[in-house]
């Protein structure tokens, strides 16, 4: 009973900062100037453009997650085989940029893509305003979230299992495919969750690195535009946010499923 | 290694110091020897980015004992949202023409008390003719800065003569064009190119303008506002839709740049100062309007912002070279091609819808 008291501040926090704002979003989605009105809500749901942009965002997010996984896995694997002290130091290096604000880092990338890289490659133009630049910065932003859970899982791997695998005649590739990879799935799943979900909601990178070109706009950008009009479309913007919330919720459910199956 | 770092740091500091001191302090005295009484309290000002000489604010604070809280934003639409919100705290703001028309129609601004603004006499008659269009008799607002919209281009990348909006749709310049990131400005460019009025209330025309803008997307390097300047100054882009004041600044920084107001016509815009109805320190707000319209201070402010000033007293005190500049002070011939934005009333919804469709690339 006494211990439960410690949970109260957390419950208050959850109600104030998670439940109440969500209720507000729902309230604004189904009302127009205070009156219940579902017209904008349905129109927004029925508008194929919104779904197309959601799909674009999911595709972009999948690309980001895929590249992060391809880059992050080897990094985490190499780290896990290093001496603890060295690996610890290097993983701190991964964290250090995250001490700096995300927008500032994106500004730094603007400078790199506009001036540094073009001058290295002898190009007069700029590399911002291209899809690969947007993808590159997204990957940069989310890579640590992939590496760290993977590193955690891989470094806890029981080394005697690897020795056993060798003893039983498996070569390096077989050991990796049959022992290391299956055992690291929980790390892969949490890495994917930590990259995929925030990447769907990305909206500063398309503006700052995509140079605001509508060609690179993602779902988050239409939510922003809905609220930033001269007469803000609260109902539409809130409905769009609900769609995003639900998609995020569904994808984390799917991820959890994977996670549980692995544990069983 | 440490020495190199120290050296780099030292030179950076030196440069920063040089940048600060290279700007010699001009004459900040009052042209007419104005005297200001102690007013006190606070004054909340809402304005565009880099749109006032900070020296003026300090000076005003010292003269009147008013504490100035200065906030900045980047679009008229944002300004409108802030002014409409129930807890609007601003005593002064600087919206553009069509927003002022809307603010007046919605009864959101106070009429100016000209007995408290003797320096209003400095505003030129030529400018009043234009501002009468949206605020007859300048009852609610006084022009602060003005300019045109045009094409800033890099003469090393563009060989032909730039005299038409058409060039912004020329595939030769794919990936080197910047569009302006604002509903009215971007759609106006497209409307003008098609030969339509920038204040059109014809849905089909707006629709056509939007479709043309969508066709332009693949040619763009980007769509922006203040950030366009850096791309143009550093030779990164060939063509950009830009306000004359920004264009003038860029031309000063990079001699390869030139500015043109296309033959199809353009928009001439005004940013005026208004006092929102919610203002708490109306006394200080009037004092501030009078203060910035002092001929001497307006000249300093213009030198800082680099946009055209409607203040004749200031023009008389500026360098002849600047006053004769066609970007800074466009000829009557150029101005005769330009028109002022009007508030579109409920038709604004059509523009907003087109803007969203443009941004989501969802033409019919």
């Amino acid at each position: 009973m006494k211990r439960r008291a410690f949970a109260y501040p957390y419950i208050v926090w959850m109600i104030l900062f998670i439940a109440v704002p969500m209720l507000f979003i729902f309230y604004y989605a189904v009302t127009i100037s205070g009156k219940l009105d579902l017209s904008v809500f349905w129109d927004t749901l029925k508008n194929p453009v919104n779904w197309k942009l959601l799909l674009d965002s999911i595709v972009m997010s999948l690309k980001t997650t895929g590249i992060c996984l391809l880059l992050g896995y080897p990094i985490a694997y190499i780290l896990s085989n290093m001496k603890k002290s060295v690996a610890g130091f290097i993983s701190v290096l991964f964290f250090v940029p995250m001490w700096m604000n995300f927008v500032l880092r994106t500004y730094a990338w603007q400078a790199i893509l506009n001036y540094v890289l073009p001058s290295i490659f002898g190009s007069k133009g700029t590399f911002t305003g291209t899809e690969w630049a947007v993808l590159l910065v997204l990957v940069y932003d989310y890579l640590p979230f992939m590496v760290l859970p993977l590193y955690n899982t891989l470094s806890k791997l029981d080394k005697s299992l690897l020795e056993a695998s060798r003893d039983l005649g498996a070569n390096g590739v077989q050991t990796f495919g049959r022992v290391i990879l299956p055992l690291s799935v929980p790390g892969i799943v949490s890495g994917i969750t930590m990259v995929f979900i925030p990447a769907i909601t990305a909206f500063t990178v398309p503006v700052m690195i995509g140079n605001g070109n509508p060609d690179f706009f993602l779902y988050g950008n239409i939510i922003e535009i809905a609220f930033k009009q001269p007469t803000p479309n609260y109902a539409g913007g809130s409905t769009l946010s609900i769609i995003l919330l639900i998609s995020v919720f569904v994808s984390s459910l799917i991820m959890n499923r994977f996670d549980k199956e692995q544990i069983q | 290694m440490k020495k190199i770092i120290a050296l780099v740091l030292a030179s950076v500091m030196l440069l920063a110091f040089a940048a600060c001191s290279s700007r010699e302090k001009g004459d900040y005295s009052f042209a007419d020897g104005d005297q200001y009484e102690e007013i006190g309290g606070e004054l909340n000002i809402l304005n565009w980015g880099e749109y006032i000489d900070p020296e003026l604010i300090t000076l005003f604070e010292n003269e009147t004992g008013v504490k100035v809280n200065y906030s900045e934003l980047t679009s008229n639409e944002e300004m409108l949202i802030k002014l409409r919100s129930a807890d609007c705290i601003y005593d002064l703001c600087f919206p553009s023409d069509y927003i002022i028309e809307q603010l007046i129609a919605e009864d959101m601004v106070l009429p100016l008390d000209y007995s408290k603004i003797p320096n209003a006499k400095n505003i030129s008659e030529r400018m009043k003719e234009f501002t009468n269009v949206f605020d007859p008799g300048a009852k609610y607002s006084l022009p602060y800065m003005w300019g045109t919209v045009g094409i800033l281009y890099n003469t090393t990348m563009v060989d032909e003569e730039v005299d038409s909006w058409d060039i912004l749709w020329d595939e030769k310049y794919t990936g080197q064009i910047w569009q302006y990131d604002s509903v009215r400005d971007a759609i106006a460019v497209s409307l003008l190119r098609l030969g339509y009025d920038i204040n059109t209330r014809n849905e089909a025309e707006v629709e056509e303008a939007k479709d043309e803008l969508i066709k332009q997307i693949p040619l763009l390097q980007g769509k922006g506002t203040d950030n366009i300047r850096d791309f143009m100054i550093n030779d990164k882009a060939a063509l950009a839709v830009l306000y004359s004041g920004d264009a003038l600044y860029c031309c000063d920084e990079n001699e390869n740049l030139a500015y043109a107001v296309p033959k199809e016509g353009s928009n001439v815009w005004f940013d005026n100062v208004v006092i929102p109805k919610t203002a708490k320190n109306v006394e200080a707000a009037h004092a501030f309007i009078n203060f910035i319209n002092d001929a001497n201070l307006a000249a300093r402010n213009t030198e800082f912002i680099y946009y055209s000033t409607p203040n004749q007293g200031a023009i008389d005190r500026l360098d002849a070279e600047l006053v004769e500049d066609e970007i800074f002070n466009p000829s009557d011939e150029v101005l005769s091609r330009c028109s002022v934005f009007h508030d579109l009333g409920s038709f604004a919804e059509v523009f907003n819808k087109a803007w969203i469709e443009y941004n989501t690339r969802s033409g019919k």
Side-chain angles (χ1 to χ4, degrees), chain B residues 53-74:
Chain B
D53 180 352
E55 194 73 29
L56 254 55
I57 294 178
T58 322
L59 207 59
F60 181 76
E61 287 182 322
N62 293 343
E63 282 296 317
T64 58
V66 172
K67 168 144 187 5
V68 174
N69 303 315
Y70 189 79
S71 334
E72 296 179 344
L73 40 55
T74 57

Side-chain angles (χ1 to χ4, degrees), chain A residues 49-50 52-53 56 110 114-115 118 123-126 128-129 210-217 222 225-232 234, chain B residues 74-75 77-78 80-81 84 178 181 183 217-218 220-224 227 230-231 234-236 349 352-353 355-356 358-362:
Chain A
V49 173
N50 297 332
K52 194 194 148 284
L53 271 155
D56 283 354
Q110 264 188 346
N114 282 333
Y115 304 110
S123 157
K124 278 200 159 176
T126 143
T128 53
N211 285 345
N213 190 330
D215 255 349
F216 314 114
F217 273 6
I222 44 168
I225 294 168
F227 285 111
K228 253 177 119 180
Q229 299 182 69
T231 39
Y234 287 108
Chain B
T74 57
S75 88
E77 284 63 36
E78 246 176 277
L80 204 52
I81 292 168
R84 278 214 187 109
W178 277 85
D181 191 8
V183 192
I217 291 174
L220 296 181
Q221 186 172 90
K223 165 164 81 48
N227 56 335
D230 279 343
F231 286 90
N234 293 299
D235 294 325
K236 296 288 175 191
E349 276 313 307
N352 296 339
K353 198 171 138 270
W355 185 243
I356 288 190
Y358 164 59
N359 276 296
T360 52
R361 291 157 286 145
S362 54

